[in-house]
Amino acid sequence: DQQVKQNSPSLSVQEGRISILNCDYTNSMFDYFLWYKKYPAEGPTFLISISSIKDKNEDGRFTVFLNKSAKHLSLHIVPSQPGDSAVYFCAASVYNQGGKLIFGQGTELSVKP
Amino acid sequence: GAGVSQTPSNKVTEKGKYVELRCDPISGHTALYWYRQSLGQGPEFLIYFQGTGAADDSGLPNDRFFAVRPEGSVSTLKIQRTERGDSAVYLCASSFWGTGPKTEAFFGQGTRLTVV
């Protein structure tokens, strides 16, 4: 039962262009969503989050959009840089479950110079 | 310390042996989490501590897995009678969850466990 799904295992983008990573979820109880970035041999690093009461959160080059009716969120990176090449994980939680995160399978982003 | 520290970074053990994996969370973080990540998958929740007590252990796959956090800081994940299917990267994370506004969890670099 995969409650959080990232259907694209990989994405390749040209430097300077927009990267769009997608995530779908099934559990309507999720009320907090996060994106993590992971380099090889390192732990995931927090990137950006969004509460279910919002539909957009922006931090520099990174913007997360939440569409609750579609149970879909996306991460936009503009402009993409080669250093953004990593695996990106979408994660979701229910606030009264103590911060326990349910992760998607990840999308490997490759930004080519 | 500055971040979440996990030791060892790599562990190779024989099938049937017992292993302990250690996690040193960020100082002051009350919540501590263990996850397991298999190849090509996202991290999978195992157990969550709030202080010294296990608040949610619903992700532990079976009774061979056990975790403790006796003083509310360092945690040890213990695996008995290891099986080849236990091979994965075990990730620890900590956060201020439960003490105020929602905050993100900070992850350690993981322990890569290989059971041969």
Side-chain angles (χ1 to χ4, degrees), chain A residues 6 8-10 21 35-40 42-45 47 75 83-90 104-110, chain B residues 37 40-43:
Chain A
Q6 293 176 257
S8 298
S10 63
L21 296 98
W35 284 93
Y36 279 83
K37 175 179 175 179
K38 186 180 183 305
Y39 293 116
E42 294 183 10
T45 303
L47 197 55
L75 174 68
D84 296 330
S85 297
V87 178
Y88 288 77
F89 291 100
C90 167
Q105 310 94 307
T107 296
E108 183 171 11
L109 174 66
S110 175
Chain B
Q37 185 176 14
Q41 300 297 316

Side-chain angles (χ1 to χ4, degrees), chain A residues 2 31-32 34 36 38 41-46 49 51-52 89 93-106, chain B residues 31 33 35 37 40-45 48 50 56 58 91 95 97-98 100-110 112:
Chain A
Q2 189 77 26
D31 57 6
Y32 190 53
L34 308 90
Y36 279 83
K38 186 180 183 305
E42 294 183 10
T45 303
F46 170 74
S49 63
S51 166
S52 61
F89 291 100
S93 71
V94 179
Y95 183 66
N96 66 2
Q97 290 187 1
K100 158 184 166 182
L101 296 174
I102 307 299
F103 282 87
Q105 310 94 307
Chain B
Y33 312 85
Y35 292 83
Q37 185 176 14
Q41 300 297 316
E44 176 189 9
F45 171 78
Y48 150 57
Q50 185 62 259
D56 182 349
S58 61
L91 293 162
S95 81
W97 198 280
K102 300 173 189 176
T103 62
E104 69 274 14
F106 293 84
F107 282 81
Q109 83 284 6
R112 179 175 296 279

